[in-house]
Amino acid sequence: MTVIDLRSDTVTRPTAAMREAMYRAEVGDDVFGDDPTVRELEEYAADMCGKPAALFVVSGTMGNQLAILSHCRRGDEAIVDYNSHIAYYEAGAPAVLAGVSLRTVVADDGIMTARQIAAAIRPVDIHQPPTGLICLENSHNRGGGTCYSLTRLRQIRDLAVGHGLPVHIDGARIFNAAVARGYQVSECADCADSMMFCLSKGLAAPVGSILVGDREFIARARRWRKVLGGGMRQAGVLAAAGLVALREMPERLAEDHRRARRLAEAGRELGLQVDAEKIETNIVVFDSQWWGITAVELQQKLKQRGILTTVFDRYALRMVTHYQIDDEMLERAIAGLAAVLNRQG
Ligand SMILES: *Cc1c(COP(=O)(O)O)cnc(C)c1O
């Protein structure tokens, strides 16, 4: 039985072209700034995002935390939505590393409005922590792969500029958002002071993320990366795969989105609650409550059929389409879902 792994797009394995590029990569010691392949990746990524500089980092979490460390001072507060990766999945790192607390906004589908953010910005008051940063997640993981519109991003940028506040975009899946919405990643980055994106998710590189911003910001982030032990030596081996990811992989993401929508429609026909029209990218979050089955139970039953998923909460189960899921595997996953639910009913 081949396993159909819908847990995350992080499970994607490097392509043959990536392996080849890794094998051939020219390398040097990147902590000394000597690795030509890392430099090439950083320049390519900065260019793509229309920012002056970029930094290759170990993980998306490290990229987000370097942004917080580099934008904020100890005691500052960062505005995030309550379901954001930064608030939910980064192990309390803003408090641990930067001494930054989070002001969490409750936003439908993870997409905050400028008005909600405006209401969360602190006045100058000795009792209150100063707002130091606004963080947006695009596409939004726990929101179900939802995306910011450019209009919304620009409204938020204008608000931030008006308050003299920096904006960071957690764009772990920014290429999914760009493909789904038909905008350029540089148009998103243009609405922010910094942006992080992952090479290791839908773009299928084995390891690594990119942080972009202006030169001075990236110099600070580079120093913080060293503080955290994230200075890598012959990292060109990894950067080579990242370059292939950026050059070859973004366009095919539309396929993952098509399959996610197909999965959502099939799940909805089976009685799982999901707004199939709202599925724009590669993430589907099903609500199992109508079936009277918890997400953990559904996950277990699917696992017995070789279908792997992620539990979001009591009744929410996430499935993610990606490079390693073709049409045939998707149809088998749908058939497995139908078999499990029909037996349940
Ligand atoms: C995966 C993810 C990250 C972090 O990436 P890691 O490489 O797993 O640390 C950050 N933000 C979002 C929205 C993510 O989905």
Side-chain angles (χ1 to χ4, degrees):
M1 179 171 67
T2 28
V3 169
I4 302 173
D5 196 344
L6 299 167
R7 284 174 303 171
S8 177
D9 45 10
T10 55
V11 302
T12 45
R13 291 179 295 274
T15 64
M18 288 177 193
R19 298 250 189 199
E20 184 69 26
M22 293 171 83
Y23 179 73
R24 298 196 180 284
E26 258 188 77
V27 296
D29 188 327
D30 183 53
V31 176
F32 294 133
D34 283 351
D35 191 303
T37 311
V38 171
R39 290 225 299 262
E40 189 184 348
L41 172 64
E42 289 177 347
E43 276 164 30
Y44 191 85
D47 250 30
M48 233 176 158
C49 295
K51 290 287 192 218
L55 184 67
F56 182 45
V57 297
V58 171
S59 65
T61 300
M62 184 182 274
N64 282 337
Q65 294 307 318
L66 295 181
I68 292 169
L69 282 159
S70 305
H71 284 303
C72 298
R73 285 185 302 187
R74 185 171 182 78
D76 279 357
E77 186 174 69
I79 297 172
V80 297
D81 77 276
Y82 81 114
N83 250 333
S84 62
H85 196 277
I86 290 173
Y88 208 98
Y89 290 118
E90 300 192 8
V96 176
L97 301 174
V100 165
S101 52
L102 299 179
R103 184 141 209 217
T104 52
V105 169
V106 178
D108 288 344
D109 304 331
I111 306 299
M112 295 186 283
T113 64
R115 201 173 168 157
Q116 286 174 313
I117 293 169
I121 295 172
R122 301 281 190 172
V124 177
D125 175 344
I126 196 171
H127 300 88
Q128 300 190 31
T131 303
L133 179 65
I134 298 166
C135 298
L136 312 175
E137 185 171 315
N138 192 30
S139 67
H140 200 286
N141 176 28
R142 290 187 64 86
T146 45
C147 304
Y148 277 88
S149 67
L150 274 186
T151 310
R152 181 71 62 84
L153 287 175
R154 287 170 182 155
Q155 287 164 347
I156 294 169
R157 173 188 60 192
D158 292 347
L159 171 77
V161 168
H163 284 82
L165 287 173
V167 175
H168 171 68
I169 294 179
D170 173 350
R173 298 188 179 83
I174 196 70
F175 288 94
N176 293 87
V179 165
R181 289 291 178 118
Y183 47 55
Q184 302 295 315
V185 294
S186 57
E187 291 177 287
C188 295
D190 190 46
C191 297
D193 299 86
S194 62
M195 185 165 83
M196 180 283 288
F197 65 81
C198 293
L199 298 163
S200 59
K201 291 192 171 163
L203 302 184
V207 175
S209 293
I210 296 280
L211 181 64
V212 298
D214 68 26
R215 283 184 206 289
E216 198 247 338
F217 167 84
I218 290 298
R220 268 180 288 154
R222 193 178 291 280
R223 192 185 156 73
W224 278 118
R225 186 185 68 171
K226 192 75 185 78
V227 169
L228 298 184
M232 295 182 283
R233 302 297 180 173
Q234 283 74 44
V237 173
L238 297 172
L243 275 163
V244 176
L246 285 183
R247 288 183 176 131
E248 297 182 3
M249 302 302 279
E251 273 178 35
R252 62 153 304 285
L253 294 173
E255 273 183 53
D256 297 343
H257 301 172
R258 171 177 63 74
R259 292 194 181 103
R261 191 176 285 232
R262 159 84 186 119
L263 179 62
E265 280 163 4
R268 189 189 50 187
E269 276 165 28
L270 290 166
L272 290 170
Q273 273 165 43
V274 62
D275 195 343
E277 272 75 59
K278 273 200 179 161
I279 305 298
E280 352 179 27
T281 59
N282 63 332
I283 296 175
V284 182
V285 182
F286 285 120
D287 183 338
S288 63
Q289 192 158 20
W290 183 84
W291 278 95
I293 183 172
T294 65
V296 170
E297 288 165 344
L298 185 53
Q299 182 188 46
Q300 287 305 324
K301 286 172 198 264
L302 287 168
K303 193 176 176 187
Q304 285 162 12
R305 292 171 184 271
I307 301 159
L308 305 185
T309 58
T310 306
V311 170
F312 260 5
D313 58 39
R314 189 162 171 79
Y315 294 109
L317 193 71
R318 183 186 75 162
M319 300 187 198
V320 184
T321 56
H322 54 75
Y323 185 56
Q324 249 86 50
I325 300 293
D326 60 19
D327 286 328
E328 195 228 306
M329 288 166 97
L330 189 82
E331 293 311 316
R332 276 171 44 218
I334 290 169
L337 196 58
V340 163
L341 290 173
N342 289 329
R343 200 155 296 185
Q344 173 74 14

